[in-house]
Amino acid sequence: MEVIAADPEFGAQVLAALDRIETRLAEEVRSSDPLIEVTASHLLKAGGKRVRPLLTVLAGAIGGGINDDVIDAAVVVELTHLASLYHDDVMDSAPVRRGVDAAHTVWGNNVAILTGDLIFARASALVATLSQRAYQIQANAFERLVTGQLQETSGPPEGTDALEHYIQVLAGKTGSLIAACGVYGSTLAGATPEVIEVLENYGEKIGVAFQLADDVIDITSTAAQTGKTPGTDLREGVPTLPVLVLRRMAAGGDTSAQEVLALVDGDLTADEDLARAVEALAGHPAIDGAWEVAESWVNQAEAALAPLPESTAKRALQSFARGMVHRSA
């Protein structure tokens, strides 16, 4: 990130922290069992943005300093996120993750789910070495993550707006863990309650924005850019932001939206049919509407930082927020 790189001293601190986190992550998924050694490291070795560790480190810097507990917390949130991906890919029947075959396509659903469970256990064991407050943060985030997943599975209750329900789902599935990054980093660095609240609020909003942007990118980018097959959620019938915006437009009488919706709601089993639906949706004005929704959440996240004093870490969080609507993967 340019903002961090422009501050040599702070940049060196952040890079050193991220290097330590990467080393710790590799240690935490290690096992003497040959199968576990391969499956637990599968997605970690595939890479990833490491958004959650970075935000935890930046929150620690704002809260009072990047210490050992902040590093441990960053490892915890990334392990939790990593474990959830094993489960998500089974539930979504996703064939690819981070540019490699999803674990369930290589070793089967049972092994993928159990591997996710094992990584969750490793995260719990690590957070237990911190403090009771840290364990509460983890438990609350995990409960909200699972609740969000259940709400997505059950769908919006009768009479509930589908888009509003979806935002609620994202606040649980994604926003909760990124909000935990802000709480972890600032709390373990010794921040005041006011600063902790600001960073929790920012994390929640940027978490929702991040997933909303991912929804659009899933339709508008290639597999080479994202490491995932475009339109996987379309094939599985999972409602995402572009489709929800498209449905609103179609319900309002937009004939072009109705035509694209017919493709999206059709049988997408064949790869060519899925590609046709993705292409049609990507070229429709519903995508612009979806970006507007995502950008509104980015703006809310950036505004949440206003009470904090100026610092490189704050500017980095602001830059990260703006980057949500200017990325391709």
Side-chain angles (χ1 to χ4, degrees), residues 15-84:
L15 287 176
L18 293 177
D19 283 345
R20 287 181 61 192
I21 291 165
E22 202 64 30
T23 299
R24 292 289 309 284
L25 285 169
E27 292 170 352
E28 290 296 333
V29 300
R30 194 166 294 151
S31 175
S32 59
D33 183 284
L35 177 61
I36 295 173
E37 174 71 18
V38 174
T39 61
S41 63
H42 180 65
L43 289 183
L44 181 65
K45 289 181 178 178
K49 303 180 184 72
R50 304 294 189 258
V51 166
R52 291 154 189 83
L54 175 60
L55 294 183
T56 305
V57 167
L58 292 176
I62 290 174
I66 305 166
N67 56 37
D68 290 344
D69 285 351
V70 171
I71 298 295
D72 283 347
V75 175
V76 167
V77 291
E78 187 65 10
L79 286 174
T80 303
H81 170 60
L82 190 67
S84 72

Side-chain angles (χ1 to χ4, degrees), residues 131-173:
S131 65
Q132 183 177 359
R133 174 61 183 137
Y135 208 88
Q136 289 172 335
I137 294 168
Q138 177 72 357
N140 291 340
F142 191 48
E143 179 183 356
R144 291 191 60 207
L145 189 157
V146 174
T147 299
Q149 187 67 65
L150 285 169
Q151 289 174 333
E152 179 181 70
T153 302
S154 63
E158 186 176 350
T160 303
D161 179 81
L163 182 53
E164 290 179 4
H165 175 264
Y166 183 59
I167 296 296
Q168 182 181 12
V169 165
L170 295 190
K173 280 185 60 179

Side-chain angles (χ1 to χ4, degrees), residues 80-101:
T80 303
H81 170 60
L82 190 67
S84 72
L85 297 182
Y86 282 83
H87 290 183
D88 284 352
D89 287 344
V90 171
M91 288 185 287
D92 298 341
S93 300
V96 177
R97 169 71 68 174
R98 294 180 174 177
V100 299
D101 292 336

